[in-house]
Amino acid sequence: MNRPLPEPVRVMPTPLRMDYTFVAGAGRSSFLRGLAHRRLLARACPSCRRVYLPAPEFCARCLVELGATTELDGRGTVSTFCVVSFPFPGQQIEPPYVVAHIRPHGADTRLMHLIREIEIADVRIGMEVEPVWAGGEPAASWTSIRHYRPVPQRVSPDSGGDRAGDGDA
């Protein structure tokens, strides 16, 4: 009684239509405006000192209005990642590729973005990465950051191949 499975449903027409308008709010608007100038703007909670990137208007823990913006250099550490190996509807990037959660240095939150300019097998948790800005005129959008890439490791000539600064007191 092994019947073949029916063809999966790929499209489901509906008579309903829903248009969405996303409002970034005051906090995230400053972050988005910063992207238009190739700047990553974070905000800290004056109560618990948690640093948000991108920042909402109020601290999620304390419900206190966040302080003024501060610029971060954009470098961060990969906290986890996923290799996307299979195509799916609406996909704009040819698999395989890596999507990672990145904790920017100086922030207590994580960003999700692509990791490129490295072999997929070489991506690892704890790897330091930096943003690669899109060419042309940047926009107030995540698309202003094309992707993240590994930070080049500096090698000191007298270190025997160790990274510069390793072992320094």
Side-chain angles (χ1 to χ4, degrees):
M1 187 150 158
N2 288 335
R3 286 186 250 155
L5 294 174
E7 183 67 28
V9 174
R10 298 200 186 277
V11 177
M12 187 175 74
T14 176
L16 304 175
R17 178 186 164 119
M18 299 176 87
D19 293 322
Y20 293 93
T21 300
F22 174 75
V23 177
R28 290 190 177 95
S29 290
S30 65
F31 168 77
L32 292 169
R33 282 192 289 276
L35 289 176
H37 298 283
R38 293 186 173 95
R39 299 174 65 205
L40 290 172
L41 301 177
R43 295 174 69 193
C45 174
S47 177
C48 71
R49 304 288 183 227
R50 184 172 171 87
V51 178
Y52 290 88
L53 180 73
E57 193 167 348
F58 296 93
C59 177
R61 290 186 176 169
C62 305
L63 302 178
V64 172
E65 188 171 356
L66 298 180
T69 60
T70 182
E71 186 171 358
L72 303 180
D73 71 3
R75 290 183 176 200
T77 304
V78 172
S79 58
T80 190
F81 66 92
C82 171
V83 177
V84 178
S85 301
F86 299 98
F88 55 84
Q91 191 172 36
Q92 297 180 6
I93 302 168
E94 176 105 12
Y97 57 90
V98 175
V99 176
H101 277 206
I102 300 161
R103 184 172 181 174
H105 300 320
D108 296 305
T109 54
R110 292 176 179 88
L111 308 173
M112 188 169 72
H113 219 300
L114 295 169
I115 303 290
R116 295 278 175 114
E117 300 185 35
I118 184 172
E119 293 295 323
I120 289 175
D122 294 333
V123 175
R124 67 186 193 293
I125 293 173
M127 179 174 71
E128 188 177 10
V129 293
E130 64 186 3
V132 175
W133 296 94
E137 193 66 33
S141 163
W142 272 115
T143 60
S144 290
I145 299 175
R146 183 179 300 141
H147 59 269
Y148 277 74
R149 67 177 171 211
V151 171
Q153 300 297 315
R154 295 180 297 132
V155 177
S156 174
D158 61 330
S159 68
D162 291 341
R163 291 186 317 148
D166 284 356
D168 292 345

